[in-house]
Amino acid sequence: MNIIVHRLTSVSSTNDAALRMAADDVPEGTVVVAREQTSGRGRLGRAWASPPGDGLYLSIILRPSIAFDCVWQIAFVAAVAAAKAVRRVSGLIPGIKWPNDLLLNGRKVGGILVEARPDAEALVVVVGIGLNVGNTAFPPEIAETATSITLESGRPVSVEQAEDVLVASFEKVYSAYLREGFGLLLAEWREFDCTAGRQVSVVSGGADVKGTAEGVDDSGSLLVRTVDGVVSVSAGEVVMRE
Amino acid sequence: MSVDYEKIKKLIALVEENKLTELEVEEEGFSVTIKAESAQQTVHVSAPQHVQVEGSSVDAEELEAEDEAEEEVVVSGDLVEIKSPMIGVFYRKPSPDSPSFVEEGDEIEEGQTIGLIEAMKVFSEVPAEVGGRVVSMPIENGKLVQAGDILAVVDVSQSG
């Protein structure tokens, strides 16, 4: 995969820009990085605070030769790649909250939004990653739950440094996934899993699943032991309870 | 999709006319087996696509197509069913406050996004494989779907 980085000063969202570029046949490995996102978004259009300066906002365009119904595996690829990058620059071991939220000391340091579209010829996947790098303060609504690499590690990590490490990490992890398959990747994911063993509540497909997280099965689904038995969850937002 | 439905229909007619119980045809890149069971035929086509045709002897019109990388489409007369390509949560709109991608009654074009399926936080667009008028969208926003569940029924006689 050849990495080609497009640097933008300000964009509505790097995923939106990447999706537009993908429609124009740009090659796999094209990366869109923005200093600022004016409408940075996460799951279901939720806002991702993206002020200029302290955060890394990037999207990577992929054209993987995988079946459409395996596209969810890219969420795990992105999570492992980002976790390894955060570990490298912070010196701390991040946790992955199923399937791909990045936590440092229990607070969210990074988020990932993967969007896919089956085109006539191939699958187009855009992996958006937001990392809080040098932030020292957050909007009030997320002040209790968000953190940054600098806040947790005390290291003065620059956004550019984080970008270099993240892109290199992604390239390595994605290549290994394509070469070796999902099994090894999932084993790496499990090493960062901070959901297993926790009391969780997941709203998924209109149902509210509460219980103890028991890790993921080979299809990436979160297993939750509830009073009615083990439930397999393939979508939704996990809330970890005390 | 290069399966020749007209050819399959002609073969079905051949089975009916001659009251055959089974007919196998093999050509390069195409093979089909048609079995007549009183008022019903079952047709299996293999390589490169897999197509199954079931229906009464009068309206043997229902064609079911499978493609590994795309959602299944079922044709019945002018109505085409767009099926979920995977398990996940189906969203009819990009975010809770947004309008739906499509509504019942809308005219849609082939390739137009009719919804999103979330699996493991990966949001996959579901493009319409055909153009026409949306007759129904049987799945509510935010509900879990299995692979093969019907997401939309499109009347292709009303395209363009």
PDB file of all heavy atoms in Angstrom, chain A residues 35 53-56 85 89-90 131-135 149-150 153 155-166:
ATOM      1  N   ARG A  35      -6.230  19.748   9.993  1.00  0.00           N
ATOM      2  CA  ARG A  35      -5.880  20.426  11.250  1.00  0.00           C
ATOM      3  C   ARG A  35      -7.131  20.610  12.104  1.00  0.00           C
ATOM      4  O   ARG A  35      -7.075  20.628  13.326  1.00  0.00           O
ATOM      5  CB  ARG A  35      -5.285  21.810  10.954  1.00  0.00           C
ATOM      6  CG  ARG A  35      -3.908  21.767  10.345  1.00  0.00           C
ATOM      7  CD  ARG A  35      -2.827  21.623  11.392  1.00  0.00           C
ATOM      8  NE  ARG A  35      -2.727  22.811  12.257  1.00  0.00           N
ATOM      9  CZ  ARG A  35      -2.133  22.825  13.430  1.00  0.00           C
ATOM     10  NH1 ARG A  35      -1.619  21.711  13.913  1.00  0.00           N
ATOM     11  NH2 ARG A  35      -2.062  23.924  14.137  1.00  0.00           N
ATOM     12  N   GLY A  53      -5.279  22.272  16.290  1.00  0.00           N
ATOM     13  CA  GLY A  53      -4.102  22.341  17.153  1.00  0.00           C
ATOM     14  C   GLY A  53      -3.717  21.076  17.873  1.00  0.00           C
ATOM     15  O   GLY A  53      -2.625  20.564  17.685  1.00  0.00           O
ATOM     16  N   ASP A  54      -4.619  20.503  18.676  1.00  0.00           N
ATOM     17  CA  ASP A  54      -4.202  19.454  19.599  1.00  0.00           C
ATOM     18  C   ASP A  54      -4.670  18.058  19.239  1.00  0.00           C
ATOM     19  O   ASP A  54      -4.266  17.089  19.872  1.00  0.00           O
ATOM     20  CB  ASP A  54      -4.722  19.783  21.009  1.00  0.00           C
ATOM     21  CG  ASP A  54      -4.144  21.080  21.521  1.00  0.00           C
ATOM     22  OD1 ASP A  54      -2.945  21.305  21.287  1.00  0.00           O
ATOM     23  OD2 ASP A  54      -4.887  21.862  22.142  1.00  0.00           O
ATOM     24  N   GLY A  55      -5.539  17.970  18.259  1.00  0.00           N
ATOM     25  CA  GLY A  55      -6.066  16.650  17.919  1.00  0.00           C
ATOM     26  C   GLY A  55      -5.582  16.196  16.554  1.00  0.00           C
ATOM     27  O   GLY A  55      -5.262  17.006  15.683  1.00  0.00           O
ATOM     28  N   LEU A  56      -5.539  14.876  16.387  1.00  0.00           N
ATOM     29  CA  LEU A  56      -5.196  14.308  15.084  1.00  0.00           C
ATOM     30  C   LEU A  56      -6.481  13.785  14.462  1.00  0.00           C
ATOM     31  O   LEU A  56      -7.199  12.993  15.083  1.00  0.00           O
ATOM     32  CB  LEU A  56      -4.193  13.166  15.263  1.00  0.00           C
ATOM     33  CG  LEU A  56      -3.873  12.318  14.028  1.00  0.00           C
ATOM     34  CD1 LEU A  56      -3.271  13.177  12.919  1.00  0.00           C
ATOM     35  CD2 LEU A  56      -2.920  11.180  14.397  1.00  0.00           C
ATOM     36  N   ALA A  85      -0.241   2.491  18.026  1.00  0.00           N
ATOM     37  CA  ALA A  85       0.328   3.831  17.845  1.00  0.00           C
ATOM     38  C   ALA A  85       0.285   4.616  19.155  1.00  0.00           C
ATOM     39  O   ALA A  85       1.256   5.278  19.535  1.00  0.00           O
ATOM     40  CB  ALA A  85      -0.432   4.578  16.748  1.00  0.00           C
ATOM     41  N   VAL A  89       3.553   6.163  21.240  1.00  0.00           N
ATOM     42  CA  VAL A  89       3.848   7.574  21.528  1.00  0.00           C
ATOM     43  C   VAL A  89       3.643   7.946  22.993  1.00  0.00           C
ATOM     44  O   VAL A  89       4.253   8.888  23.488  1.00  0.00           O
ATOM     45  CB  VAL A  89       3.032   8.554  20.632  1.00  0.00           C
ATOM     46  CG1 VAL A  89       3.435   8.413  19.183  1.00  0.00           C
ATOM     47  CG2 VAL A  89       1.545   8.375  20.802  1.00  0.00           C
ATOM     48  N   SER A  90       2.788   7.184  23.698  1.00  0.00           N
ATOM     49  CA  SER A  90       2.513   7.564  25.088  1.00  0.00           C
ATOM     50  C   SER A  90       3.355   6.766  26.077  1.00  0.00           C
ATOM     51  O   SER A  90       3.559   7.189  27.217  1.00  0.00           O
ATOM     52  CB  SER A  90       1.026   7.338  25.415  1.00  0.00           C
ATOM     53  OG  SER A  90       0.737   5.947  25.466  1.00  0.00           O
ATOM     54  N   LEU A 131      -7.719  11.187  17.279  1.00  0.00           N
ATOM     55  CA  LEU A 131      -6.933  10.967  18.500  1.00  0.00           C
ATOM     56  C   LEU A 131      -6.747  12.291  19.224  1.00  0.00           C
ATOM     57  O   LEU A 131      -6.377  13.299  18.606  1.00  0.00           O
ATOM     58  CB  LEU A 131      -5.529  10.434  18.158  1.00  0.00           C
ATOM     59  CG  LEU A 131      -5.307   8.956  17.869  1.00  0.00           C
ATOM     60  CD1 LEU A 131      -3.802   8.703  17.696  1.00  0.00           C
ATOM     61  CD2 LEU A 131      -5.864   8.087  18.983  1.00  0.00           C
ATOM     62  N   ASN A 132      -6.993  12.276  20.526  1.00  0.00           N
ATOM     63  CA  ASN A 132      -6.692  13.450  21.332  1.00  0.00           C
ATOM     64  C   ASN A 132      -5.210  13.376  21.695  1.00  0.00           C
ATOM     65  O   ASN A 132      -4.796  12.511  22.465  1.00  0.00           O
ATOM     66  CB  ASN A 132      -7.547  13.466  22.601  1.00  0.00           C
ATOM     67  CG  ASN A 132      -9.037  13.495  22.273  1.00  0.00           C
ATOM     68  OD1 ASN A 132      -9.450  14.075  21.263  1.00  0.00           O
ATOM     69  ND2 ASN A 132      -9.831  12.870  23.121  1.00  0.00           N
ATOM     70  N   VAL A 133      -4.425  14.272  21.124  1.00  0.00           N
ATOM     71  CA  VAL A 133      -2.964  14.175  21.296  1.00  0.00           C
ATOM     72  C   VAL A 133      -2.480  15.126  22.395  1.00  0.00           C
ATOM     73  O   VAL A 133      -2.045  14.706  23.454  1.00  0.00           O
ATOM     74  CB  VAL A 133      -2.241  14.472  19.959  1.00  0.00           C
ATOM     75  CG1 VAL A 133      -0.727  14.349  20.143  1.00  0.00           C
ATOM     76  CG2 VAL A 133      -2.713  13.504  18.876  1.00  0.00           C
ATOM     77  N   GLY A 134      -2.545  16.415  22.120  1.00  0.00           N
ATOM     78  CA  GLY A 134      -1.983  17.367  23.075  1.00  0.00           C
ATOM     79  C   GLY A 134      -3.028  18.139  23.863  1.00  0.00           C
ATOM     80  O   GLY A 134      -2.695  19.088  24.593  1.00  0.00           O
ATOM     81  N   ASN A 135      -4.285  17.745  23.736  1.00  0.00           N
ATOM     82  CA  ASN A 135      -5.370  18.489  24.398  1.00  0.00           C
ATOM     83  C   ASN A 135      -5.130  18.548  25.920  1.00  0.00           C
ATOM     84  O   ASN A 135      -4.746  17.562  26.533  1.00  0.00           O
ATOM     85  CB  ASN A 135      -6.722  17.815  24.168  1.00  0.00           C
ATOM     86  CG  ASN A 135      -6.948  17.394  22.727  1.00  0.00           C
ATOM     87  OD1 ASN A 135      -6.131  16.677  22.159  1.00  0.00           O
ATOM     88  ND2 ASN A 135      -8.046  17.823  22.153  1.00  0.00           N
ATOM     89  N   ILE A 149      -3.338  12.045  25.011  1.00  0.00           N
ATOM     90  CA  ILE A 149      -2.054  11.356  25.210  1.00  0.00           C
ATOM     91  C   ILE A 149      -1.166  12.175  26.146  1.00  0.00           C
ATOM     92  O   ILE A 149      -0.552  11.648  27.072  1.00  0.00           O
ATOM     93  CB  ILE A 149      -1.379  11.137  23.837  1.00  0.00           C
ATOM     94  CG1 ILE A 149      -2.178  10.086  23.040  1.00  0.00           C
ATOM     95  CG2 ILE A 149       0.074  10.700  24.008  1.00  0.00           C
ATOM     96  CD1 ILE A 149      -1.790   9.959  21.590  1.00  0.00           C
ATOM     97  N   THR A 150      -1.116  13.475  25.927  1.00  0.00           N
ATOM     98  CA  THR A 150      -0.269  14.334  26.758  1.00  0.00           C
ATOM     99  C   THR A 150      -0.749  14.351  28.218  1.00  0.00           C
ATOM    100  O   THR A 150       0.055  14.254  29.155  1.00  0.00           O
ATOM    101  CB  THR A 150      -0.250  15.771  26.189  1.00  0.00           C
ATOM    102  OG1 THR A 150       0.459  15.737  24.949  1.00  0.00           O
ATOM    103  CG2 THR A 150       0.431  16.741  27.124  1.00  0.00           C
ATOM    104  N   SER A 153       0.163  10.834  29.712  1.00  0.00           N
ATOM    105  CA  SER A 153       1.566  10.393  29.715  1.00  0.00           C
ATOM    106  C   SER A 153       2.519  11.472  30.205  1.00  0.00           C
ATOM    107  O   SER A 153       3.655  11.175  30.593  1.00  0.00           O
ATOM    108  CB  SER A 153       1.992   9.982  28.298  1.00  0.00           C
ATOM    109  OG  SER A 153       2.055  11.121  27.456  1.00  0.00           O
ATOM    110  N   ARG A 155       3.884  13.403  28.323  1.00  0.00           N
ATOM    111  CA  ARG A 155       4.842  13.632  27.241  1.00  0.00           C
ATOM    112  C   ARG A 155       4.317  14.708  26.286  1.00  0.00           C
ATOM    113  O   ARG A 155       3.138  14.698  25.924  1.00  0.00           O
ATOM    114  CB  ARG A 155       5.044  12.355  26.424  1.00  0.00           C
ATOM    115  CG  ARG A 155       5.743  11.248  27.170  1.00  0.00           C
ATOM    116  CD  ARG A 155       5.952  10.069  26.227  1.00  0.00           C
ATOM    117  NE  ARG A 155       6.623   8.969  26.898  1.00  0.00           N
ATOM    118  CZ  ARG A 155       6.935   7.824  26.300  1.00  0.00           C
ATOM    119  NH1 ARG A 155       6.613   7.630  25.036  1.00  0.00           N
ATOM    120  NH2 ARG A 155       7.554   6.862  26.956  1.00  0.00           N
ATOM    121  N   PRO A 156       5.166  15.583  25.845  1.00  0.00           N
ATOM    122  CA  PRO A 156       4.731  16.602  24.879  1.00  0.00           C
ATOM    123  C   PRO A 156       4.731  16.045  23.462  1.00  0.00           C
ATOM    124  O   PRO A 156       5.587  16.379  22.638  1.00  0.00           O
ATOM    125  CB  PRO A 156       5.784  17.699  25.046  1.00  0.00           C
ATOM    126  CG  PRO A 156       7.020  16.960  25.456  1.00  0.00           C
ATOM    127  CD  PRO A 156       6.586  15.737  26.208  1.00  0.00           C
ATOM    128  N   VAL A 157       3.759  15.193  23.178  1.00  0.00           N
ATOM    129  CA  VAL A 157       3.693  14.567  21.850  1.00  0.00           C
ATOM    130  C   VAL A 157       3.063  15.548  20.863  1.00  0.00           C
ATOM    131  O   VAL A 157       2.049  16.172  21.173  1.00  0.00           O
ATOM    132  CB  VAL A 157       2.838  13.282  21.922  1.00  0.00           C
ATOM    133  CG1 VAL A 157       2.741  12.635  20.546  1.00  0.00           C
ATOM    134  CG2 VAL A 157       3.411  12.309  22.941  1.00  0.00           C
ATOM    135  N   SER A 158       3.679  15.686  19.696  1.00  0.00           N
ATOM    136  CA  SER A 158       3.095  16.582  18.691  1.00  0.00           C
ATOM    137  C   SER A 158       2.104  15.822  17.811  1.00  0.00           C
ATOM    138  O   SER A 158       2.176  14.594  17.682  1.00  0.00           O
ATOM    139  CB  SER A 158       4.197  17.182  17.806  1.00  0.00           C
ATOM    140  OG  SER A 158       4.695  16.188  16.928  1.00  0.00           O
ATOM    141  N   VAL A 159       1.197  16.586  17.216  1.00  0.00           N
ATOM    142  CA  VAL A 159       0.205  15.971  16.326  1.00  0.00           C
ATOM    143  C   VAL A 159       0.910  15.316  15.136  1.00  0.00           C
ATOM    144  O   VAL A 159       0.531  14.220  14.700  1.00  0.00           O
ATOM    145  CB  VAL A 159      -0.814  17.035  15.845  1.00  0.00           C
ATOM    146  CG1 VAL A 159      -1.743  16.455  14.781  1.00  0.00           C
ATOM    147  CG2 VAL A 159      -1.630  17.550  17.024  1.00  0.00           C
ATOM    148  N   GLU A 160       1.944  15.975  14.633  1.00  0.00           N
ATOM    149  CA  GLU A 160       2.675  15.433  13.478  1.00  0.00           C
ATOM    150  C   GLU A 160       3.340  14.097  13.824  1.00  0.00           C
ATOM    151  O   GLU A 160       3.326  13.160  13.028  1.00  0.00           O
ATOM    152  CB  GLU A 160       3.742  16.439  13.012  1.00  0.00           C
ATOM    153  CG  GLU A 160       3.192  17.703  12.380  1.00  0.00           C
ATOM    154  CD  GLU A 160       2.576  18.674  13.389  1.00  0.00           C
ATOM    155  OE1 GLU A 160       2.870  18.560  14.605  1.00  0.00           O
ATOM    156  OE2 GLU A 160       1.777  19.533  12.969  1.00  0.00           O
ATOM    157  N   GLN A 161       3.893  14.039  15.009  1.00  0.00           N
ATOM    158  CA  GLN A 161       4.546  12.803  15.453  1.00  0.00           C
ATOM    159  C   GLN A 161       3.507  11.680  15.582  1.00  0.00           C
ATOM    160  O   GLN A 161       3.732  10.557  15.130  1.00  0.00           O
ATOM    161  CB  GLN A 161       5.194  13.083  16.816  1.00  0.00           C
ATOM    162  CG  GLN A 161       6.092  11.994  17.334  1.00  0.00           C
ATOM    163  CD  GLN A 161       6.570  12.309  18.762  1.00  0.00           C
ATOM    164  OE1 GLN A 161       6.349  13.411  19.288  1.00  0.00           O
ATOM    165  NE2 GLN A 161       7.229  11.347  19.372  1.00  0.00           N
ATOM    166  N   ALA A 162       2.375  12.023  16.173  1.00  0.00           N
ATOM    167  CA  ALA A 162       1.311  11.024  16.326  1.00  0.00           C
ATOM    168  C   ALA A 162       0.831  10.550  14.963  1.00  0.00           C
ATOM    169  O   ALA A 162       0.575   9.361  14.750  1.00  0.00           O
ATOM    170  CB  ALA A 162       0.153  11.612  17.130  1.00  0.00           C
ATOM    171  N   GLU A 163       0.732  11.484  14.022  1.00  0.00           N
ATOM    172  CA  GLU A 163       0.283  11.130  12.669  1.00  0.00           C
ATOM    173  C   GLU A 163       1.248  10.142  12.017  1.00  0.00           C
ATOM    174  O   GLU A 163       0.830   9.113  11.461  1.00  0.00           O
ATOM    175  CB  GLU A 163       0.177  12.395  11.814  1.00  0.00           C
ATOM    176  CG  GLU A 163      -0.229  12.113  10.375  1.00  0.00           C
ATOM    177  CD  GLU A 163       0.042  13.304   9.453  1.00  0.00           C
ATOM    178  OE1 GLU A 163      -0.210  14.453   9.869  1.00  0.00           O
ATOM    179  OE2 GLU A 163       0.527  13.082   8.335  1.00  0.00           O
ATOM    180  N   ASP A 164       2.529  10.456  12.090  1.00  0.00           N
ATOM    181  CA  ASP A 164       3.526   9.566  11.470  1.00  0.00           C
ATOM    182  C   ASP A 164       3.447   8.157  12.048  1.00  0.00           C
ATOM    183  O   ASP A 164       3.471   7.166  11.326  1.00  0.00           O
ATOM    184  CB  ASP A 164       4.944  10.125  11.684  1.00  0.00           C
ATOM    185  CG  ASP A 164       5.187  11.373  10.861  1.00  0.00           C
ATOM    186  OD1 ASP A 164       4.371  11.646   9.947  1.00  0.00           O
ATOM    187  OD2 ASP A 164       6.167  12.089  11.130  1.00  0.00           O
ATOM    188  N   VAL A 165       3.353   8.090  13.359  1.00  0.00           N
ATOM    189  CA  VAL A 165       3.332   6.779  14.017  1.00  0.00           C
ATOM    190  C   VAL A 165       2.035   6.038  13.691  1.00  0.00           C
ATOM    191  O   VAL A 165       2.042   4.833  13.418  1.00  0.00           O
ATOM    192  CB  VAL A 165       3.499   6.951  15.550  1.00  0.00           C
ATOM    193  CG1 VAL A 165       3.291   5.621  16.268  1.00  0.00           C
ATOM    194  CG2 VAL A 165       4.878   7.517  15.877  1.00  0.00           C
ATOM    195  N   LEU A 166       0.930   6.758  13.673  1.00  0.00           N
ATOM    196  CA  LEU A 166      -0.360   6.120  13.408  1.00  0.00           C
ATOM    197  C   LEU A 166      -0.435   5.581  11.974  1.00  0.00           C
ATOM    198  O   LEU A 166      -0.871   4.449  11.749  1.00  0.00           O
ATOM    199  CB  LEU A 166      -1.505   7.111  13.656  1.00  0.00           C
ATOM    200  CG  LEU A 166      -2.904   6.591  13.336  1.00  0.00           C
ATOM    201  CD1 LEU A 166      -3.242   5.347  14.165  1.00  0.00           C
ATOM    202  CD2 LEU A 166      -3.957   7.669  13.592  1.00  0.00           C
TER     203      LEU A 166
END
